[in-house]
Amino acid sequence: QFEMLFGEFQENWTENSDMLLYTVLYLLVLFVLVLNFVLAIIVEAYMTLRKLNEDNEIELEFVSDFLYCCLARFRSYLYSWPTPANLANSLDQIPSKHAIGFQELLRFGKFSSQTSVVKFLKHYQQFSFLTPKRASEYGENAKLLKDIETRVAWLMGKTPLSKQDHIACMSK
Protein backbone atom coordinates (compact mmCIF):
# COMPACT_ATOMS: atom_id res chain seq x y z
CA GLN A 1 0.00 0.00 0.00
CA PHE A 2 2.83 2.40 0.83
CA GLU A 3 4.48 1.79 -2.53
CA MET A 4 1.16 2.48 -4.26
CA LEU A 5 1.33 6.06 -2.97
CA PHE A 6 4.43 6.57 -5.14
CA GLY A 7 3.01 4.90 -8.23
CA GLU A 8 4.59 1.45 -7.85
CA PHE A 9 1.93 -1.21 -8.34
CA GLN A 10 2.31 -4.97 -8.19
CA GLU A 11 3.07 -6.75 -11.43
CA ASN A 12 0.02 -7.83 -13.40
CA TRP A 13 -2.36 -5.99 -11.08
CA THR A 14 -4.74 -5.38 -13.98
CA GLU A 15 -5.16 -9.10 -14.69
CA ASN A 16 -6.46 -10.00 -11.22
CA SER A 17 -9.97 -8.55 -10.81
CA ASP A 18 -9.73 -8.42 -6.98
CA MET A 19 -6.42 -6.57 -7.15
CA LEU A 20 -7.79 -4.21 -9.80
CA LEU A 21 -10.82 -3.38 -7.67
CA TYR A 22 -8.66 -2.92 -4.57
CA THR A 23 -6.23 -0.60 -6.38
CA VAL A 24 -8.94 1.52 -7.97
CA LEU A 25 -10.84 1.87 -4.68
CA TYR A 26 -7.62 2.62 -2.81
CA LEU A 27 -6.68 5.40 -5.25
CA LEU A 28 -10.24 6.74 -5.25
CA VAL A 29 -10.31 6.96 -1.43
CA LEU A 30 -6.91 8.67 -1.39
CA PHE A 31 -8.05 11.13 -4.05
CA VAL A 32 -11.22 11.99 -2.10
CA LEU A 33 -9.25 12.43 1.15
CA VAL A 34 -6.65 14.72 -0.41
CA LEU A 35 -9.37 16.68 -2.19
CA ASN A 36 -11.20 17.05 1.12
CA PHE A 37 -8.04 18.41 2.81
CA VAL A 38 -7.45 20.92 0.01
CA LEU A 39 -11.08 22.07 0.04
CA ALA A 40 -11.00 22.45 3.82
CA ILE A 41 -7.93 24.70 3.56
CA ILE A 42 -9.48 26.79 0.77
CA VAL A 43 -12.85 27.15 2.54
CA GLU A 44 -11.17 28.13 5.82
CA ALA A 45 -9.11 30.80 4.05
CA TYR A 46 -12.24 32.05 2.28
CA MET A 47 -14.21 32.27 5.54
CA THR A 48 -11.37 34.17 7.23
CA LEU A 49 -11.17 36.62 4.34
CA ARG A 50 -14.95 37.02 4.28
CA LYS A 51 -15.01 37.80 8.02
CA LEU A 52 -12.25 40.39 7.58
CA ASN A 53 -14.15 41.93 4.68
CA GLU A 54 -17.37 42.15 6.73
CA ASP A 55 -15.49 43.80 9.61
CA ASN A 56 -13.99 46.41 7.28
CA GLU A 57 -16.16 49.46 7.93
CA ILE A 58 -14.67 51.72 5.30
CA GLU A 59 -15.02 49.53 2.24
CA LEU A 60 -17.50 50.57 -0.38
CA GLU A 61 -17.68 49.20 -3.84
CA PHE A 62 -14.94 50.24 -6.25
CA VAL A 63 -17.07 52.59 -8.35
CA SER A 64 -18.36 54.44 -5.26
CA ASP A 65 -14.84 54.76 -3.83
CA PHE A 66 -13.55 56.10 -7.11
CA LEU A 67 -16.39 58.64 -7.46
CA TYR A 68 -15.96 59.85 -3.87
CA CYS A 69 -12.21 60.28 -4.45
CA CYS A 70 -12.90 62.33 -7.58
CA LEU A 71 -15.53 64.39 -5.74
CA ALA A 72 -13.13 65.02 -2.86
CA ARG A 73 -10.42 66.17 -5.30
CA PHE A 74 -12.86 68.47 -7.09
CA ARG A 75 -14.13 70.00 -3.84
CA SER A 76 -10.56 70.29 -2.56
CA TYR A 77 -9.69 72.40 -5.58
CA LEU A 78 -12.98 74.35 -5.51
CA TYR A 79 -12.85 75.27 -1.80
CA SER A 80 -9.04 75.47 -1.42
CA TRP A 81 -8.69 72.64 1.07
CA PRO A 82 -5.17 71.72 2.19
CA THR A 83 -3.54 68.68 0.66
CA PRO A 84 -4.02 65.42 2.59
CA ALA A 85 -0.30 65.31 3.45
CA ASN A 86 -0.37 68.91 4.69
CA LEU A 87 -3.45 68.25 6.81
CA ALA A 88 -1.95 65.01 8.17
CA ASN A 89 1.19 66.87 9.25
CA SER A 90 -0.95 69.42 11.07
CA LEU A 91 -2.97 66.70 12.78
CA ASP A 92 0.23 65.02 13.93
CA GLN A 93 1.16 68.19 15.81
CA ILE A 94 -1.82 68.06 18.19
CA PRO A 95 -2.40 65.62 21.06
CA SER A 96 -4.54 62.57 20.32
CA LYS A 97 -8.25 63.21 20.23
CA HIS A 98 -11.26 61.14 19.24
CA ALA A 99 -12.71 63.90 17.08
CA ILE A 100 -11.56 67.11 15.42
CA GLY A 101 -14.09 69.86 14.97
CA PHE A 102 -14.55 73.20 13.29
CA GLN A 103 -12.49 75.20 15.78
CA GLU A 104 -9.45 72.90 15.62
CA LEU A 105 -9.46 72.86 11.82
CA LEU A 106 -9.79 76.64 11.68
CA ARG A 107 -6.90 77.08 14.14
CA PHE A 108 -4.55 75.13 11.88
CA GLY A 109 -4.58 78.00 9.41
CA LYS A 110 -4.48 75.59 6.49
CA PHE A 111 -7.98 76.42 5.22
CA SER A 112 -8.61 79.58 3.21
CA SER A 113 -11.83 80.54 5.02
CA GLN A 114 -14.50 79.43 7.47
CA THR A 115 -16.63 78.40 4.51
CA SER A 116 -13.84 76.11 3.36
CA VAL A 117 -13.79 74.38 6.78
CA VAL A 118 -17.58 74.03 6.79
CA LYS A 119 -17.57 72.49 3.29
CA PHE A 120 -14.75 70.16 4.34
CA LEU A 121 -16.69 68.95 7.40
CA LYS A 122 -19.94 68.57 5.44
CA HIS A 123 -18.17 66.52 2.79
CA TYR A 124 -16.72 64.06 5.30
CA GLN A 125 -19.84 63.88 7.50
CA GLN A 126 -21.54 61.72 4.89
CA PHE A 127 -19.23 58.81 5.78
CA SER A 128 -20.61 57.00 8.82
CA PHE A 129 -17.28 55.35 9.69
CA LEU A 130 -15.79 58.79 10.40
CA THR A 131 -18.44 59.64 12.99
CA PRO A 132 -16.96 59.36 16.47
CA LYS A 133 -18.51 56.75 18.74
CA ARG A 134 -20.56 58.13 21.58
CA ALA A 135 -19.94 56.65 25.00
CA SER A 136 -22.77 56.33 27.48
CA GLU A 137 -22.49 56.99 31.19
CA TYR A 138 -21.10 53.45 31.55
CA GLY A 139 -18.63 53.70 28.69
CA GLU A 140 -18.66 51.63 25.52
CA ASN A 141 -19.88 48.44 27.21
CA ALA A 142 -23.00 49.97 28.74
CA LYS A 143 -25.30 47.03 28.00
CA LEU A 144 -22.85 44.49 29.38
CA LEU A 145 -22.31 46.50 32.57
CA LYS A 146 -26.03 47.02 33.04
CA ASP A 147 -26.64 43.25 32.64
CA ILE A 148 -23.94 42.47 35.22
CA GLU A 149 -25.37 45.03 37.63
CA THR A 150 -28.87 43.56 37.23
CA ARG A 151 -27.62 40.01 37.87
CA VAL A 152 -25.65 41.03 40.95
CA ALA A 153 -28.66 42.90 42.34
CA TRP A 154 -30.87 39.86 41.67
CA LEU A 155 -28.38 37.54 43.42
CA MET A 156 -28.33 39.86 46.42
CA GLY A 157 -32.12 40.00 46.48
CA LYS A 158 -32.27 43.71 45.65
CA THR A 159 -33.65 45.75 42.77
CA PRO A 160 -31.16 47.34 40.35
CA LEU A 161 -30.57 51.08 40.66
CA SER A 162 -32.44 53.38 38.30
CA LYS A 163 -30.68 56.13 36.33
CA GLN A 164 -31.80 58.75 38.89
CA ASP A 165 -30.42 56.60 41.75
CA HIS A 166 -27.08 56.36 39.89
CA ILE A 167 -26.95 60.13 39.54
CA ALA A 168 -27.77 60.56 43.24
CA CYS A 169 -25.01 58.08 44.22
CA MET A 170 -22.47 59.78 41.93
CA SER A 171 -23.16 63.21 43.40
CA LYS A 172 -22.54 62.04 46.98
Side-chain angles (χ1 to χ4, degrees):
Q1 291 177 355
F2 183 72
E3 292 175 356
M4 287 174 64
L5 286 173
F6 300 106
E8 294 184 25
F9 301 101
Q10 292 181 356
E11 293 180 22
N12 302 327
W13 65 275
T14 57
E15 295 173 4
N16 184 353
S17 62
D18 289 341
M19 189 61 183
L20 178 66
L21 180 66
Y22 176 77
T23 304
V24 170
L25 286 176
Y26 180 76
L27 291 176
L28 187 65
V29 167
L30 280 179
F31 174 77
V32 169
L33 283 174
V34 171
L35 183 65
N36 190 19
F37 292 147
V38 170
L39 284 176
I41 292 168
I42 292 171
V43 168
E44 180 65 30
Y46 172 76
M47 294 305 288
T48 302
L49 189 61
R50 185 174 175 196
K51 175 76 172 131
L52 288 173
N53 198 20
E54 287 174 359
D55 292 343
N56 187 0
E57 295 179 7
I58 59 173
E59 181 189 305
L60 298 174
E61 60 186 44
F62 174 77
V63 176
S64 298
D65 283 341
F66 180 74
L67 291 175
Y68 281 126
C69 286
C70 292
L71 182 63
R73 273 292 196 209
F74 174 73
R75 287 181 176 169
S76 174
Y77 176 75
L78 185 65
Y79 299 117
S80 302
W81 294 345
T83 63
N86 196 353
L87 188 58
N89 287 335
S90 298
L91 290 172
D92 283 340
Q93 304 300 320
I94 63 171
S96 295
K97 293 181 87 173
H98 288 291
I100 301 292
F102 176 81
Q103 295 296 332
E104 291 90 1
L105 289 174
L106 195 58
R107 260 188 255 129
F108 288 148
K110 304 289 182 184
F111 290 90
S112 60
S113 66
Q114 290 182 356
T115 306
S116 178
V117 175
V118 169
K119 296 292 185 181
F120 181 82
L121 289 173
K122 282 187 178 179
H123 172 75
Y124 285 105
Q125 278 178 342
Q126 65 186 332
F127 301 107
S128 62
F129 63 87
L130 291 175
T131 306
K133 294 181 180 176
R134 303 224 183 261
S136 69
E137 64 181 283
Y138 298 106
E140 291 181 13
N141 298 323
K143 184 173 179 0
L144 176 65
L145 291 171
K146 191 68 176 163
D147 287 344
I148 292 171
E149 182 181 84
T150 303
R151 290 177 186 169
V152 169
W154 181 79
L155 287 171
M156 296 176 68
K158 301 187 183 232
T159 57
L161 293 175
S162 66
K163 189 171 184 175
Q164 290 80 17
D165 293 338
H166 274 288
I167 295 170
C169 288
M170 300 279 280
S171 63
K172 290 182 181 180

